[in-house]
Amino acid sequence: MARPAPASPSTARALNDRLALRLLQEHGPLTAARLKELTGLSRPSVADLVERLGAAGLIEVVGASGQRRRGPNARIYGIVADRAHLAGLDVRTHSVSVLVTDLLGATLAESSAPVDPGASTEAAVARAADLLGDTAARAGVTELRAVGVGAPGLVTPGTGELRDSTGLPPWHRALVPVLRERFAGTVLVENETNLAAVAELRAGAARDRDTFVLLWLGHGVGAAVVLDGALRRGASGGTGEIGFLPVPGTKVLPARDSCEGGYHSLASSAAIEELAARHGLAADTAPREPPAAALVRRAVRDTGAQGAAVRARADAFLDALAEHLVLGVASVVAILDPGCVLLGGETGRAGGTALAARVASRLSRLTPLATEVRPTALGGGAVLRGALLMALDHAQEELFGG
């Protein structure tokens, strides 16, 4: 077998530059001496890359390592944070949230606004696009290099097109072309559950895992699959469409255009509301939150109530909900053996460790595969965080790619 050709000097320089930038991103500002230690490069090579990156406007001197030290070795170099600006959008059925940051992910401005469900597609799109523009302007940003958009529904691999899905407002699909026309930077789109999983992998409950499944419990139900540190989307972008999973105890099978008879009929907000009603549980809902989240939150709180009857009702409801949820979880575990399942979305977060423990207990009786069940850690901002990370990765790949 022929040996691969050695890297050309220009390729080697590009690889070294990229390594140095990644180290500066991970560790923060560093001296040239520290860069030499971390990269294993010679002193002249480090001096050359520092000069190249400075001339390219990617790094700058941000301080000195000590009062007594002078000269090049005392300078501390950091990435030029305002070299590029980014934005993340979390697009929901009745609202949109925006986060604008610099190249290092530091928040410059954020905002959110409701979207009238009765508004026309044009009005809803204008509302979301204007919110992004206004938020960027408030941050003093005139150009966005990348915009990450998280939305419910299927995203076509390759094109990034948000596909038409039953039950989702048409303005979601109409928004992305308008953003691409209005803003000069790259606009990227990903399913909201996938982005929440990326955020949990990088900064949340799955930081110690490279393989896991996130079960999203919101108005509907979905899942995201991360295997060996990589998000898996499937051939058509449909990995994790667990709402269509046929489950026992339903009268019909799911169909192409309907989740009725699928896992959705057990784990959606509407299904959990019905389950709560059968157990005599009621709760006041929060604005723009699935009613199931308030019901589960109330039940978790009532498990610590003084009245025995109240505790018994809450325990019975959470036990029944866990019996519903574990059917989908066990199916995923049997196929993927992820070792860890996160319960996310508004309802999963509301259940917290109390619901996760109940699901884990039942799961251990259904499978020989050891599997942790955890609640997510990032709360309601997981999708927005994931959207921003997607934009951040894209911008850094362009700038640091060499």
Side-chain angles (χ1 to χ4, degrees):
M1 183 180 294
R3 294 182 179 181
S8 67
S10 61
T11 300
R13 286 194 295 270
L15 292 172
N16 291 340
D17 291 355
R18 185 170 184 175
L19 173 59
L21 287 164
R22 292 299 182 190
L23 290 169
L24 288 167
Q25 178 191 4
E26 180 179 349
H27 295 278
L30 298 169
T31 62
R34 183 62 175 147
L35 278 171
K36 177 180 177 297
E37 293 176 12
L38 293 172
T39 61
L41 298 172
S42 67
R43 191 183 303 275
S45 294
V46 170
D48 287 344
L49 73 82
V50 165
E51 183 177 355
R52 284 195 303 273
L53 295 175
L58 292 174
I59 68 171
E60 62 185 350
V61 177
V62 297
S65 60
Q67 295 290 336
R68 297 180 181 178
R69 298 184 64 186
R70 295 183 180 181
N73 289 336
R75 295 171 186 162
I76 299 177
Y77 299 93
I79 292 175
V80 179
D82 61 0
R83 181 70 167 74
H85 297 98
L86 322 158
L89 271 75
D90 179 4
V91 179
R92 301 296 179 96
T93 304
H94 302 313
S95 67
V96 61
S97 298
V98 176
L99 176 65
V100 176
T101 77
D102 62 21
L103 184 58
L104 293 177
T107 299
L108 302 178
E110 56 185 319
S111 55
S112 61
V115 176
D116 184 357
S120 66
T121 295
E122 293 76 12
V125 167
R127 173 78 158 163
D130 288 347
L131 185 69
L132 174 58
D134 293 344
T135 306
R138 185 155 48 86
V141 172
T142 57
E143 181 178 339
L144 292 167
R145 188 170 189 104
V147 178
V149 180
L154 290 171
V155 177
T156 303
T159 67
E161 180 185 5
L162 188 63
R163 290 161 56 182
D164 190 14
S165 300
T166 303
L168 295 179
W171 69 268
H172 281 192
R173 294 190 70 229
L175 174 61
V176 173
V178 170
L179 294 180
R180 287 174 173 157
E181 180 179 345
R182 179 167 170 179
F183 298 94
T186 302
V187 177
L188 309 160
V189 188
E190 183 57 90
N191 171 267
E192 61 178 355
T193 307
N194 285 346
L195 289 180
V198 169
E200 294 291 342
L201 173 66
R202 302 266 286 271
R207 281 176 296 179
D208 61 336
R209 293 278 181 172
D210 65 359
T211 296
F212 68 96
V213 170
L214 188 153
L215 179 63
W216 183 271
L217 302 170
H219 286 287
V221 57
V225 175
V226 175
L227 301 178
D228 299 323
L231 182 68
R232 306 297 181 177
R233 297 175 177 84
S236 64
T239 295
E241 286 297 311
I242 197 172
F244 288 92
L245 178 73
V247 292
T250 56
K251 297 179 181 179
V252 297
L253 289 174
R256 175 187 176 92
D257 299 319
S258 173
C259 292
E260 184 181 358
Y263 189 53
H264 179 92
S265 63
L266 295 182
S268 68
S269 180
I272 295 173
E273 288 177 71
E274 293 179 5
L275 184 64
R278 292 199 296 270
H279 285 82
L281 191 70
D284 294 330
T285 60
R288 300 197 298 273
E289 181 184 64
L295 291 163
V296 171
R297 191 164 46 244
R298 166 70 184 275
V300 171
R301 185 176 69 245
D302 284 354
T303 58
Q306 293 183 351
V310 173
R311 291 198 307 272
R313 179 182 63 192
D315 280 330
F317 165 68
L318 291 174
D319 286 343
L321 176 57
E323 294 284 355
H324 282 198
L325 297 181
V326 77
L327 294 177
V329 173
S331 298
V332 168
V333 168
I335 296 171
L336 297 176
D337 186 20
C340 181
V341 174
L342 305 183
L343 301 185
E346 297 90 344
T347 304
R349 293 195 306 271
T353 55
L355 181 59
R358 282 173 163 84
V359 174
S361 175
R362 285 154 180 80
L363 181 63
S364 68
R365 299 196 293 266
L366 295 179
T367 175
L369 307 177
T371 308
E372 283 190 73
V373 182
R374 307 173 178 175
T376 52
L378 296 180
V383 176
L384 191 58
R385 177 82 67 91
L388 193 280
L389 286 170
M390 178 169 61
L392 187 66
D393 287 347
H394 178 83
Q396 291 182 349
E397 183 70 24
E398 284 190 334
L399 292 170
F400 300 173

